[in-house]
Amino acid sequence: MKVLVINAGSSSMKYQLLNMEDESVMATGLVERIGEATGKMIYKKFPDTDAEAKVERDDHVPDHRAAMHFVVEMIKDAEYGVIKDTNEVGAIGHRVVQGGDHFKSSVRVDEPVKDIIKEISPLAPLHNPAHITGVEMAEELLPGVPNVAVFDTVFHQTMPEQAFLYAIPRSLYEDLKIRRYGAHGTSHKYVAQQVAILMDKKPEDINVITVHLGNGCSMAAVKNGKCVDTSMGMTPLAGLMMGTRSGDIDPAVLAYLAEHKKMTIKEIDTMLNKESGLKGICGLNDMRDIHAKAEEGDASAKLALEMFSYRIRKYLGAYAVVLGSLDAVVFTAGIGENDDIARSMILADLDCLGIELDRGKNEGRIQEAKVISTDASRVKAWVIPTNEELQIARETVAVLNN
Ligand code: ADP
């Protein structure tokens, strides 16, 4: 079966066409700056050995319909296409950021499912409406092809109440569904499954801490294949220090800022989401730039790196206790896969957890799954490149086969 994976954001749309016979990528790309004066459309077909395999256009993309139109036209294009007709697409898998309390698994999309995704939108106001638009465009331009929603929150739905409830009046959970949902679930699930395969174990037989470090950063404690805790909260603002997000903070700071700086709730929210994290400490949010500045001797860049690693170490300790016993720690995403300095800072001196980093194996960018701990290390440290598109396609096939 060929599966088209769609990740629709408020002003962008990422896509990938996979052949699930062998899980190979047939075509991939991205449409950016939808609705702005000049948008960008990228299409790439595989194998991409010749330069002709890539199409790049800077042009006005008025809306998501135009974006989806570009995707559909390109995949069946006479010159660049990889299929002859859209009826060769067996299913469309949509990434959906927020499934609330409602969705415990990926689902085939029908009208009631769309209504529930819309209903949950207040919890993800930028994302869920865009996902619905993506589904509607797919229904219009690929009529008859089933759509499946794959939620970022589903993997975390196995958390027990003690982990997902906030210690605030319980009625707020019952009335407004305020609780920890977590995010990056598709990525955490993918690497947790992969590490079990690579360690020749069943997911049910191991305990893993997964560490997703991209622009957004989160960790998950995965016990016998099921998530029992994760660092992001009702929204992705909680937990680790991120590119521009603060992560955990004393909530009293918000009231203090409102009173003493006369900031509105909206201004505080923007500050915590967009002006904090690494950027708040050293003015930069891209890890590569931060390392370059730290190498020049910049104290604020060094401090940002230390704070970033320290917070992850605290969560490692906490999750090791939550799990009781630990088999592996897995790093993934942009920083997790590429940043050997960050990994070595995070895993330094962790005898207490039974993790011993092998500095040689850790060195450099890692593009294929690899152990970075010593042979003697009781707990194995891994780098496993994430593949959210493949996981979405796998879930899509599984839903339709059920
Ligand atoms: P997103 O959350 O947007 O998917 P990514 O997973 O692509 O993000 O991760 C982006 C982060 O990865 C950025 O902070 C970037 O600096 C970092 N990164 C990418 N390549 C490297 C590298 N070679 N060394 C250090 N950090 C890197």
Side-chain angles (χ1 to χ4, degrees), residues 213-216 285-288 291 333-335 338-339 365:
L213 305 177
N215 281 310
N285 61 285
D286 191 301
M287 234 357 156
R288 288 163 288 200
H291 284 301
I335 298 168
N338 296 307
D339 191 339
R365 300 178 62 190

